[in-house]
Amino acid sequence: MEKNISIEDKEFIKEFFTSMKDLREFCMLIDICQRILYPEFKDRSRIDEYLIKTLAHPNSKNRYHSFEIKKKSGGMRTIHAPEQNLKVLLQCINLMFQTVFTPHSAAYGFVEGKSVVDNANLHCGNNYVFNVDLKDFFPSIEIGRILNRLSLPPFNFNKENGREELGNYIAWLACENAIVERVVDGKIQKTVKRVLPQGSPLSPMLTNIICERLDRRLTGLAKRFGVKYSRYADDITFSSMQNVYQEEGDFRKELDRIVTDQYFTINQDKVRVQKSGVRQEVTGITVNEFSNVTKTYVKRIRLWLSFWERFGTEKAFVLFLNGYIKDKGHIKNLGKTPLFMENVIEGKLNYLKMIKGEDDSTYLGLKARLEKLSLRKKSTDAILDTWEKSGIDEAMSKFYSRNNKYPKVDYISNIIAQL
């Protein structure tokens, strides 16, 4: 969740966080964080000690709901999405952690001020790019590791400080019982463990906290062999001008040892060395000479816009949905109107702009095509035209009409701002 939090607010949260001793004070800080994160909501629900204790119980019905999405590599991934009260609570804890913990410099995922583009830029123009993926990243982190890490600085939720109970509740809230794979007596078996759920707003921050030592050790390994290192969540990348990534070489052996020591497992199916003569990718971005998207990414946007231009809005929306659902597998809040298609295309264009720059000719050309088709713009233009010809009452009636074919712009202020 992107929020611009003032330096003053961050300092206040940090000071309160490091001094609080019990659940009562924790609830007070939760309330403060809610006000900062949701200033537009005056009637916020009060999170008290009873609610925290209830949500912390693993058998509570108001914790997470689960569903599966298709992995790009095949198979299914289980997502645990927190219910509303727990989601707000976890977002507040996430804000607290942001004020007291700074991820390692090699961590790029879920870090304020860093992006997937920054991660890719680090590895541009190298002869060799070496990619490693950590297997079952979130569910590999069990609650015991969370409890242990939270007992250490800068959190200090331990007996000596009289804050152990707080650390316990935060870990109980952050972790969920899930069916996971573990090696038992040399064999992979399925079992139930309380682990970090993928889908929680707090899990990404906790992975960076847990991976701090991994990042530190892999940074040392990279320096020793004269290569660059970065980690974006479970996606680890090394790059260099020389090939030090031979399967039985010293680098790979030391890498395997460090990852294993930190209780992670390398997904051997996703280990790859990319030479400069082929397309080199880091977290889906091409990095041979400079950061770029794949040709397929741009082709897909062009295809959707072509459908829209050739067949009209309704048929284009059907064609778009068929391909989009097939590609994604599971889509939360799937839009039921063509405006959903416009929003998806707009989001992909914003990503293209982030990588290629706002002056890039490809981006500008696709953006211009979308603007000509935009339902949001047509809706706004129609309301403004009605305003000019028939007056404000008629325009507002059109704005609030539920019988019109397409959704209107979100807020009436958007219309007034264009007058």
Side-chain angles (χ1 to χ4, degrees), residues 72-118:
K72 289 185 178 180
S73 58
M76 303 300 291
R77 173 180 286 111
T78 301
I79 301 297
H80 297 274
E83 300 294 347
Q84 184 58 31
N85 279 334
L86 181 58
K87 180 180 179 180
V88 170
L89 185 53
L90 294 173
Q91 286 173 336
C92 290
I93 297 172
N94 187 63
L95 176 57
M96 298 177 199
F97 282 3
Q98 287 177 358
T99 67
V100 297
F101 178 79
T102 301
H104 191 278
S105 60
Y108 282 79
F110 322 115
V111 177
E112 185 178 7
K114 291 184 177 181
S115 71
V116 66
V117 180
D118 298 317

Side-chain angles (χ1 to χ4, degrees), residues 65-79:
H65 64 276
S66 304
F67 56 89
E68 291 186 330
I69 61 174
K70 184 174 65 177
K71 295 181 181 180
K72 289 185 178 180
S73 58
M76 303 300 291
R77 173 180 286 111
T78 301
I79 301 297

Side-chain angles (χ1 to χ4, degrees), residues 301-309 345 366 369-370 373:
I301 298 175
R302 284 181 174 146
L303 179 64
W304 290 339
L305 292 174
S306 296
F307 283 158
W308 202 343
E309 292 163 341
I345 296 174
L366 294 172
R369 290 171 66 183
L370 178 62
L373 297 164

Side-chain angles (χ1 to χ4, degrees), residues 14-41:
K14 181 178 181 179
E15 184 177 347
F16 201 126
F17 179 87
T18 54
S19 63
M20 66 181 179
K21 293 289 186 181
D22 53 34
L23 276 181
R24 182 185 65 82
E25 293 181 350
F26 181 57
C27 290
M28 292 172 60
L29 185 54
I30 289 291
D31 187 58
I32 293 169
C33 289
Q34 275 202 81
R35 294 175 186 275
I36 293 171
L37 290 173
Y38 310 106
E40 67 275 17
F41 298 132

Side-chain angles (χ1 to χ4, degrees), residues 26-237:
F26 181 57
C27 290
M28 292 172 60
L29 185 54
I30 289 291
D31 187 58
I32 293 169
C33 289
Q34 275 202 81
R35 294 175 186 275
I36 293 171
L37 290 173
Y38 310 106
E40 67 275 17
F41 298 132
K42 295 182 179 179
D43 298 324
R44 289 175 292 272
S45 58
R46 171 73 175 168
I47 296 179
D48 55 20
E49 295 177 48
Y50 176 78
L51 181 57
I52 288 176
K53 291 178 179 179
T54 300
L55 293 176
H57 196 283
N59 295 327
S60 171
K61 296 181 180 180
N62 299 314
R63 284 173 57 81
Y64 296 89
H65 64 276
S66 304
F67 56 89
E68 291 186 330
I69 61 174
K70 184 174 65 177
K71 295 181 181 180
K72 289 185 178 180
S73 58
M76 303 300 291
R77 173 180 286 111
T78 301
I79 301 297
H80 297 274
E83 300 294 347
Q84 184 58 31
N85 279 334
L86 181 58
K87 180 180 179 180
V88 170
L89 185 53
L90 294 173
Q91 286 173 336
C92 290
I93 297 172
N94 187 63
L95 176 57
M96 298 177 199
F97 282 3
Q98 287 177 358
T99 67
V100 297
F101 178 79
T102 301
H104 191 278
S105 60
Y108 282 79
F110 322 115
V111 177
E112 185 178 7
K114 291 184 177 181
S115 71
V116 66
V117 180
D118 298 317
N119 182 54
N121 284 339
L122 180 68
H123 302 285
C124 287
N126 283 281
N127 288 340
Y128 297 91
V129 174
F130 181 55
N131 300 108
V132 174
D133 184 83
L134 299 179
K135 186 178 180 181
D136 299 329
F137 185 52
F138 287 91
S140 69
I141 301 175
E142 297 182 13
I143 190 170
R145 295 178 69 183
I146 302 296
L147 288 166
N148 180 66
R149 182 62 186 88
L150 292 181
S151 70
L152 304 173
F155 310 101
N156 297 313
F157 292 121
N158 51 54
K159 289 183 179 179
E160 290 74 14
N161 291 319
R163 287 157 53 93
E164 184 180 33
E165 182 184 51
L166 286 175
N168 290 341
Y169 274 108
I170 289 174
W172 293 336
L173 291 166
C175 295
E176 177 70 343
N177 287 336
I179 299 174
V180 297
E181 292 183 346
R182 294 290 186 266
V183 177
V184 181
D185 297 328
K187 296 181 180 180
I188 296 178
Q189 298 182 10
K190 289 188 176 181
T191 184
V192 175
K193 296 287 185 181
R194 201 162 184 180
V195 299
L196 277 187
Q198 186 162 358
S200 162
L202 182 58
S203 289
M205 167 61 77
L206 284 171
T207 61
N208 280 337
I209 292 170
I210 291 296
C211 287
E212 183 181 30
R213 191 168 182 210
L214 174 70
D215 289 331
R216 187 166 62 246
R217 293 185 65 181
L218 291 184
T219 297
L221 175 66
K223 289 180 178 179
R224 175 183 162 193
F225 283 85
V227 305
K228 297 176 181 177
Y229 160 71
S230 70
R231 181 183 58 81
Y232 196 97
D234 59 347
D235 198 324
I236 288 173
T237 304

Side-chain angles (χ1 to χ4, degrees), residues 357-373:
E358 61 182 1
D359 297 325
D360 177 75
S361 59
T362 301
Y363 162 71
L364 291 173
L366 294 172
K367 178 187 176 188
R369 290 171 66 183
L370 178 62
E371 288 177 345
K372 288 182 180 180
L373 297 164

